[in-house]
Amino acid sequence: MTTDSLLSVKNYNIVYQVETPVHAVRNVSFELGRGEILGLAGESGCGKTTLAYGINRLLRPPAEITDGSAIFHDESGVDVDINGLTVAELRRYRWDKVSMVFQGAMNALNPVINIQKQMTDIFSTHRPEMSKSDRIDECADLLDLIGVGRDRLRSFSHELSGGMRQRVMIAMALALKPQLMIMDEPTTALDVLVQRDILQEISELRHKFGFSVIFITHDLPLLLEISDRIAIMLQGEIVEYNTPEQIYRNAGHEYTDKLLHSFPSLTGERGGFVRSGEASALTREATR
Amino acid sequence: MNYLARKISFYVVALWAALTLNFLIPRLLPGNPVEILIQKLAARGPITPELRNSVELLLGDTSNDPIFVQYVNYLKGIFAGDFGVSITYYPQPVVEIIAQALPWTIVMIGIGTIIAFVVGITLGMLAGWKRGSWLDNLVPVTTMFQAVPYFWLALILLYVSAVQFKIFPVSGGYSYTGAGPSWDWDFISSAIYYGTLPALTIVISSFGGWLLGMRNMMVSTLSEDYIVTAEAKGLRPTRIMMAYAARNAILPSVAGFAISLGFVVSGSIVTEQVFSYPGVGSTLLQAVNNNDYSLMQGLFLVITLTVLGANLIVDLLYTVIDPRTRARS
């Protein structure tokens, strides 16, 4: 892993400007290295998705970025201040530099136009110089790469299984060879086997193309396995930011500890993931 | 293909049912066309049994035949394009009268309905896309136009624009001072001039419904995940609006459009009455007033056929625009 930085987020604050403003992201700062996987974990509603959308400026009113900066260090050596982009610049930046795989695998594809049209859309917007047949070839190659197969180009999303839809989304996210891929709970709606396949796929692709990943999930053990660094979010703040090794061995924050203890072990041995009497008392407290 | 065959066979059965009802209903109604014509003729002189016999032959009165034979003859007549002779416009055949009236209605009301749909959908799309903009103020105004009774709105518009300001003619389908219907520019331009006001009233009174429906569908479609995906993909806003938002939001409106297309022919009675327009609606009113059964029967058949035809077309169109409705083999 190279150590130079790809994304520097400093003192990021996002507020939902409703009657009583909700401070969804508070003073979040982190560095994402080139080629690194950053795991972002935390319970539902802690601001993970809001933060990810904020980095891509996908938030809609009433959400507002009130403070902070996100600097994208492009391969070419140019630093991009994401909050300072104009609408047209932002459009070019999106997907070309940062692509996203969304939480709702089931609904992230347009139901009435086929996969090919949705994929070639990306090329006709960002690579207008490509010929039509090149675009289609490229999309077919992507589907082959991700294991869906080029014969699915003409399919509609209702004709694909959940796992296939998520793969199509990943194929789309790869289309422009972005430097960063934000994955917002990409495997939540899938069963564990499909989840495993997809995660392996992602990790292989990352080795092949060298992009960085921000991986959002509430599944902490999963992050321990795949991430280079993990950030634990609680009520809009990053309460712990460390390597998986450190988080597993000596969690600095009691909330991290609580998260680690919330997952049962398969083998039943006493260990990090065993739900002991004390831990279940903790989880009971957490659910109360 | 299989799907297509199934759809079409469904419509064939529906057509047969409609034809049969069309045969039965007039025969279940009180009154007899022969008696009505005899009464009309009686005003001019005494009725001899020979005259009565020839009237019966002329109108094809076969009430002495068994009903099954009548039914078979009726079906034969329909497929040969023979709907009998009109009493109101005696001795013109019903087919000729309908052929004269139908183009007026289809062109004027049809164009009005299509314009209302296109205008309503376009404005609704824009209003939903830019929610909270000035376009939203159109919604209550157009809903008001839709809420007032159509004939009242039409009469007011007729009074203001034709009587007070004389922008449009008061009544009719074309200028009677020129030559009769023909395919020259004089006639066509006068038909357009005469048809504009009635078509305009249809547009004004009905586009609000399309606008409201489309706007609300746009708003709910815009909160779908695939819209966020499209935005994250960095697509141009027009592309997102057309291919992602409007493309999905229009689906329910298309189904509604099928129904209103079916009513193009039958729903024209009030419009044509207000503007004395020479279409199907005013012909139907004439037929009802004169107990002209064969003409009524012919008109009902035409109305049934247009409703079925419009529905078939939209059914087939729907499978093109919404892939989810396609049959999976």
Side-chain angles (χ1 to χ4, degrees), chain B residues 60 83 114 118 171 210 263 303 308:
Chain B
F83 295 155
I114 290 169
V118 171
S171 69
W210 301 122
F263 283 114
I303 290 167
L308 284 176

Side-chain angles (χ1 to χ4, degrees), chain B residues 3 5 19 28 57 83 88 96 109 114 159 172 185 202 223 246 251 261 268 273-274 286 293 300 304 309 312:
Chain B
Y3 174 77
L19 289 177
L28 299 174
L57 286 174
F83 295 155
T88 323
E96 258 178 49
I109 312 252
I114 290 169
Y159 179 71
W185 175 242
I202 292 172
S223 63
L251 297 175
L261 269 188
S268 62
Q273 193 58 23
V274 170
Q286 285 288 317
Y293 291 102
F300 286 142
T304 314
L312 176 62

Side-chain angles (χ1 to χ4, degrees), chain A residues 9-254:
Chain A
V9 175
K10 280 202 184 65
N11 297 322
Y12 225 64
N13 281 281
I14 298 171
V15 178
Y16 284 92
Q17 304 285 13
V18 284
E19 226 154 284
T20 43
V22 179
H23 208 145
V25 173
R26 299 161 190 264
N27 292 320
V28 165
S29 302
F30 63 87
E31 284 292 314
L32 176 67
R34 205 170 287 282
E36 225 178 40
I37 294 187
L38 170 70
L40 201 53
E43 62 199 8
S44 302
C46 72
K48 308 182 296 272
T49 304
T50 305
L51 174 62
Y53 278 33
I55 292 169
N56 219 352
R57 285 204 23 215
L58 277 173
L59 294 170
R60 293 184 191 169
E64 191 187 320
I65 301 164
T66 50
D67 194 18
S69 67
I71 311 289
F72 184 86
H73 310 286
D74 194 45
E75 271 175 332
S76 60
V78 182
D79 283 358
V80 183
D81 176 8
I82 299 169
N83 288 345
L85 293 174
T86 64
V87 174
E89 284 168 342
L90 184 65
R91 225 175 49 223
R92 279 194 294 276
Y93 159 85
R94 281 177 183 165
W95 219 258
D96 194 22
K97 310 285 183 207
V98 180
S99 64
M100 292 188 82
V101 177
F102 289 95
Q103 199 164 7
M106 300 303 165
N107 306 317
L109 293 169
N110 187 342
V112 295
I113 64 179
N114 65 26
I115 304 297
Q116 178 180 315
K117 276 192 195 136
Q118 292 184 59
M119 291 184 80
T120 49
D121 251 5
I122 300 167
F123 293 114
S124 51
T125 308
H126 292 278
R127 305 276 187 270
E129 70 282 357
M130 275 174 84
S131 74
K132 197 179 172 205
S133 58
D134 280 355
R135 280 177 212 154
I136 295 172
D137 282 349
E138 188 72 36
C139 295
D141 290 345
L142 281 166
L143 286 187
D144 275 347
L145 178 75
I146 201 73
V148 173
R150 57 176 64 225
D151 52 322
R152 289 294 184 172
L153 266 182
R154 297 253 165 210
S155 297
F156 291 91
S157 83
H158 70 271
E159 296 165 334
L160 303 175
S161 68
M164 279 169 116
R165 283 182 220 181
Q166 199 53 283
R167 281 165 199 269
V168 169
M169 273 310 293
I170 294 169
M172 281 208 266
L174 285 169
L176 301 171
K177 310 277 177 295
Q179 295 161 54
L180 171 61
M181 200 184 281
I182 298 175
M183 309 190 114
D184 185 5
E185 309 205 12
T187 55
T188 304
L190 306 173
D191 67 75
V192 281
L193 289 174
V194 179
Q195 182 175 351
R196 187 182 177 78
D197 281 353
I198 287 182
L199 287 173
Q200 269 174 356
E201 205 95 59
I202 293 169
S203 116
E204 277 165 30
L205 290 166
R206 195 177 64 96
H207 282 298
K208 200 163 164 188
F209 297 109
F211 52 85
S212 310
V213 177
I214 295 180
F215 198 100
I216 302 172
T217 180
H218 49 248
D219 189 348
L220 189 54
L222 176 80
L223 285 184
L224 290 174
E225 263 187 66
I226 62 166
S227 322
D228 297 311
R229 257 170 217 275
I230 294 176
I232 310 281
M233 274 187 96
L234 175 64
Q235 295 179 349
E237 280 176 289
I238 291 188
V239 292
E240 185 142 8
Y241 178 54
N242 219 325
T243 59
E245 185 67 20
Q246 283 297 313
I247 286 194
Y248 179 53
R249 300 266 171 240
N250 39 23
H253 196 275
E254 64 169 321

